[in-house]
Amino acid sequence: DGGITQSPKYLFRKEGQNVTLSCEQNLNHDAMYWYRQDPGQGLRLIYYSQIVNDFQKGDIAEGYSVSREKKESFPLTVTSAQKNPTAFYLCASSSWSRTETQYFGPGTRLLVL
Amino acid sequence: KNQVEQSPQSLIILEGKNCTLQCNYTVSPFSNLRWYKQDTGRGPVSLTIMTFSENTKSNGRYTATLDADTKQSSLHITASQLSDSASYICVVSVRNYGGSQGNLIFGKGTKLSVKP
């Protein structure tokens, strides 16, 4: 798990509710990422940020939002617009570029009640 | 279209045996290829990274090979242990160039189960 922490480990969402997943890193990395992992599928990029106060949409950004107010933190909000949010969410960081080695957090499993 | 295909989808072996996992890719322009190990319910951990000019890289009992001509890679696990039970993910990087930030293409992974 290195220097990346994610919380909570499990999260339950009710219909119509927004929930926020936390991701913190102490690796002094500039770039941070959020991925979604579904059974039998490869990791899919939701959002990424290469610098504070800037972030870019990934392949499946609809229904998600992020912020990057601090270098160490990159929270992900799963909004009520995301109709199929049940998945394993992974946060990662790298020194500066997407193609550098990414270090992953332990993940958060989101379940819908 | 940039793609990474892994085989087999799942594999069961006995403890102490060797095994080889395959990764075929159609990614251009190629930058590097990584193998990650992901324990159930955990985040992936990098095992090896290989660039275009490298064709073998070892990390303990894990040996990765790369054939850039055929666009194939393999991960060989020697003398398997119960702790090797995990998913192994092949990830290929699309090279940064001309202002592009590059990209990562993830395979779906091979789930390895090592039985006593």
Side-chain angles (χ1 to χ4, degrees), chain A residues 92-105:
Chain A
S93 70
S94 68
S95 54
W96 60 277
S97 163
R98 274 195 270 184
T99 57
E100 298 292 308
T101 296
Q102 294 188 15
Y103 296 85
F104 288 84

PDB file of all heavy atoms in Angstrom, chain A residues 92-105:
ATOM      1  N   ALA A  92      -4.446   6.120  -7.030  1.00  0.00           N
ATOM      2  CA  ALA A  92      -3.028   5.898  -7.309  1.00  0.00           C
ATOM      3  C   ALA A  92      -2.313   7.242  -7.434  1.00  0.00           C
ATOM      4  O   ALA A  92      -2.954   8.288  -7.629  1.00  0.00           O
ATOM      5  CB  ALA A  92      -2.843   5.081  -8.586  1.00  0.00           C
ATOM      6  N   SER A  93      -1.004   7.202  -7.331  1.00  0.00           N
ATOM      7  CA  SER A  93      -0.220   8.411  -7.555  1.00  0.00           C
ATOM      8  C   SER A  93       1.065   8.047  -8.289  1.00  0.00           C
ATOM      9  O   SER A  93       1.503   6.885  -8.273  1.00  0.00           O
ATOM     10  CB  SER A  93       0.115   9.109  -6.230  1.00  0.00           C
ATOM     11  OG  SER A  93       1.049   8.353  -5.474  1.00  0.00           O
ATOM     12  N   SER A  94       1.630   9.025  -8.969  1.00  0.00           N
ATOM     13  CA  SER A  94       2.917   8.837  -9.639  1.00  0.00           C
ATOM     14  C   SER A  94       3.657  10.166  -9.596  1.00  0.00           C
ATOM     15  O   SER A  94       3.086  11.205  -9.282  1.00  0.00           O
ATOM     16  CB  SER A  94       2.738   8.364 -11.086  1.00  0.00           C
ATOM     17  OG  SER A  94       2.156   9.382 -11.876  1.00  0.00           O
ATOM     18  N   SER A  95       4.948  10.111  -9.962  1.00  0.00           N
ATOM     19  CA  SER A  95       5.792  11.290  -9.795  1.00  0.00           C
ATOM     20  C   SER A  95       5.266  12.464 -10.613  1.00  0.00           C
ATOM     21  O   SER A  95       5.168  13.583 -10.117  1.00  0.00           O
ATOM     22  CB  SER A  95       7.238  10.980 -10.171  1.00  0.00           C
ATOM     23  OG  SER A  95       7.282  10.441 -11.481  1.00  0.00           O
ATOM     24  N   TRP A  96       4.944  12.228 -11.903  1.00  0.00           N
ATOM     25  CA  TRP A  96       4.420  13.350 -12.677  1.00  0.00           C
ATOM     26  C   TRP A  96       3.572  12.949 -13.857  1.00  0.00           C
ATOM     27  O   TRP A  96       2.649  13.648 -14.215  1.00  0.00           O
ATOM     28  CB  TRP A  96       5.570  14.248 -13.173  1.00  0.00           C
ATOM     29  CG  TRP A  96       6.554  13.541 -14.051  1.00  0.00           C
ATOM     30  CD1 TRP A  96       7.594  12.772 -13.643  1.00  0.00           C
ATOM     31  CD2 TRP A  96       6.598  13.540 -15.481  1.00  0.00           C
ATOM     32  NE1 TRP A  96       8.267  12.280 -14.738  1.00  0.00           N
ATOM     33  CE2 TRP A  96       7.684  12.733 -15.867  1.00  0.00           C
ATOM     34  CE3 TRP A  96       5.817  14.135 -16.476  1.00  0.00           C
ATOM     35  CZ2 TRP A  96       8.015  12.505 -17.213  1.00  0.00           C
ATOM     36  CZ3 TRP A  96       6.139  13.915 -17.808  1.00  0.00           C
ATOM     37  CH2 TRP A  96       7.230  13.104 -18.154  1.00  0.00           C
ATOM     38  N   SER A  97       3.857  11.807 -14.476  1.00  0.00           N
ATOM     39  CA  SER A  97       3.173  11.437 -15.706  1.00  0.00           C
ATOM     40  C   SER A  97       2.409  10.147 -15.528  1.00  0.00           C
ATOM     41  O   SER A  97       2.783   9.301 -14.725  1.00  0.00           O
ATOM     42  CB  SER A  97       4.178  11.277 -16.841  1.00  0.00           C
ATOM     43  OG  SER A  97       3.610  10.549 -17.916  1.00  0.00           O
ATOM     44  N   ARG A  98       1.358   9.981 -16.324  1.00  0.00           N
ATOM     45  CA  ARG A  98       0.572   8.755 -16.285  1.00  0.00           C
ATOM     46  C   ARG A  98       1.411   7.533 -16.600  1.00  0.00           C
ATOM     47  O   ARG A  98       1.110   6.430 -16.150  1.00  0.00           O
ATOM     48  CB  ARG A  98      -0.569   8.827 -17.306  1.00  0.00           C
ATOM     49  CG  ARG A  98      -1.806   9.481 -16.792  1.00  0.00           C
ATOM     50  CD  ARG A  98      -2.958   9.186 -17.706  1.00  0.00           C
ATOM     51  NE  ARG A  98      -3.083  10.167 -18.741  1.00  0.00           N
ATOM     52  CZ  ARG A  98      -4.085  10.156 -19.636  1.00  0.00           C
ATOM     53  NH1 ARG A  98      -4.984   9.204 -19.596  1.00  0.00           N
ATOM     54  NH2 ARG A  98      -4.152  11.075 -20.549  1.00  0.00           N
ATOM     55  N   THR A  99       2.453   7.710 -17.388  1.00  0.00           N
ATOM     56  CA  THR A  99       3.235   6.548 -17.805  1.00  0.00           C
ATOM     57  C   THR A  99       4.368   6.214 -16.832  1.00  0.00           C
ATOM     58  O   THR A  99       5.071   5.239 -17.026  1.00  0.00           O
ATOM     59  CB  THR A  99       3.812   6.772 -19.210  1.00  0.00           C
ATOM     60  OG1 THR A  99       4.588   7.968 -19.206  1.00  0.00           O
ATOM     61  CG2 THR A  99       2.682   6.908 -20.230  1.00  0.00           C
ATOM     62  N   GLU A 100       4.534   7.013 -15.789  1.00  0.00           N
ATOM     63  CA  GLU A 100       5.466   6.631 -14.723  1.00  0.00           C
ATOM     64  C   GLU A 100       4.810   5.549 -13.866  1.00  0.00           C
ATOM     65  O   GLU A 100       3.590   5.369 -13.901  1.00  0.00           O
ATOM     66  CB  GLU A 100       5.781   7.850 -13.842  1.00  0.00           C
ATOM     67  CG  GLU A 100       6.462   8.988 -14.564  1.00  0.00           C
ATOM     68  CD  GLU A 100       7.853   8.629 -14.979  1.00  0.00           C
ATOM     69  OE1 GLU A 100       8.625   8.168 -14.111  1.00  0.00           O
ATOM     70  OE2 GLU A 100       8.179   8.784 -16.168  1.00  0.00           O
ATOM     71  N   THR A 101       5.616   4.850 -13.078  1.00  0.00           N
ATOM     72  CA  THR A 101       5.055   3.807 -12.218  1.00  0.00           C
ATOM     73  C   THR A 101       4.042   4.420 -11.269  1.00  0.00           C
ATOM     74  O   THR A 101       4.332   5.399 -10.586  1.00  0.00           O
ATOM     75  CB  THR A 101       6.161   3.105 -11.422  1.00  0.00           C
ATOM     76  OG1 THR A 101       7.037   2.439 -12.332  1.00  0.00           O
ATOM     77  CG2 THR A 101       5.554   2.079 -10.466  1.00  0.00           C
ATOM     78  N   GLN A 102       2.850   3.837 -11.255  1.00  0.00           N
ATOM     79  CA  GLN A 102       1.814   4.316 -10.358  1.00  0.00           C
ATOM     80  C   GLN A 102       1.763   3.432  -9.121  1.00  0.00           C
ATOM     81  O   GLN A 102       1.858   2.213  -9.200  1.00  0.00           O
ATOM     82  CB  GLN A 102       0.464   4.315 -11.076  1.00  0.00           C
ATOM     83  CG  GLN A 102       0.410   5.317 -12.226  1.00  0.00           C
ATOM     84  CD  GLN A 102      -0.978   5.457 -12.832  1.00  0.00           C
ATOM     85  OE1 GLN A 102      -1.975   5.025 -12.260  1.00  0.00           O
ATOM     86  NE2 GLN A 102      -1.053   6.092 -13.985  1.00  0.00           N
ATOM     87  N   TYR A 103       1.606   4.076  -7.991  1.00  0.00           N
ATOM     88  CA  TYR A 103       1.516   3.387  -6.713  1.00  0.00           C
ATOM     89  C   TYR A 103       0.071   3.470  -6.244  1.00  0.00           C
ATOM     90  O   TYR A 103      -0.498   4.557  -6.173  1.00  0.00           O
ATOM     91  CB  TYR A 103       2.465   4.024  -5.697  1.00  0.00           C
ATOM     92  CG  TYR A 103       3.905   3.888  -6.109  1.00  0.00           C
ATOM     93  CD1 TYR A 103       4.495   4.803  -6.979  1.00  0.00           C
ATOM     94  CD2 TYR A 103       4.676   2.824  -5.653  1.00  0.00           C
ATOM     95  CE1 TYR A 103       5.812   4.659  -7.378  1.00  0.00           C
ATOM     96  CE2 TYR A 103       5.998   2.688  -6.040  1.00  0.00           C
ATOM     97  CZ  TYR A 103       6.560   3.601  -6.915  1.00  0.00           C
ATOM     98  OH  TYR A 103       7.854   3.448  -7.313  1.00  0.00           O
ATOM     99  N   PHE A 104      -0.489   2.318  -5.913  1.00  0.00           N
ATOM    100  CA  PHE A 104      -1.907   2.235  -5.619  1.00  0.00           C
ATOM    101  C   PHE A 104      -2.186   2.183  -4.124  1.00  0.00           C
ATOM    102  O   PHE A 104      -1.403   1.654  -3.337  1.00  0.00           O
ATOM    103  CB  PHE A 104      -2.516   0.994  -6.270  1.00  0.00           C
ATOM    104  CG  PHE A 104      -2.651   1.098  -7.765  1.00  0.00           C
ATOM    105  CD1 PHE A 104      -1.588   0.805  -8.589  1.00  0.00           C
ATOM    106  CD2 PHE A 104      -3.841   1.510  -8.335  1.00  0.00           C
ATOM    107  CE1 PHE A 104      -1.707   0.908  -9.974  1.00  0.00           C
ATOM    108  CE2 PHE A 104      -3.976   1.618  -9.715  1.00  0.00           C
ATOM    109  CZ  PHE A 104      -2.905   1.319 -10.530  1.00  0.00           C
ATOM    110  N   GLY A 105      -3.339   2.718  -3.755  1.00  0.00           N
ATOM    111  CA  GLY A 105      -3.838   2.584  -2.407  1.00  0.00           C
ATOM    112  C   GLY A 105      -4.533   1.250  -2.227  1.00  0.00           C
ATOM    113  O   GLY A 105      -4.636   0.463  -3.171  1.00  0.00           O
TER     114      GLY A 105
END
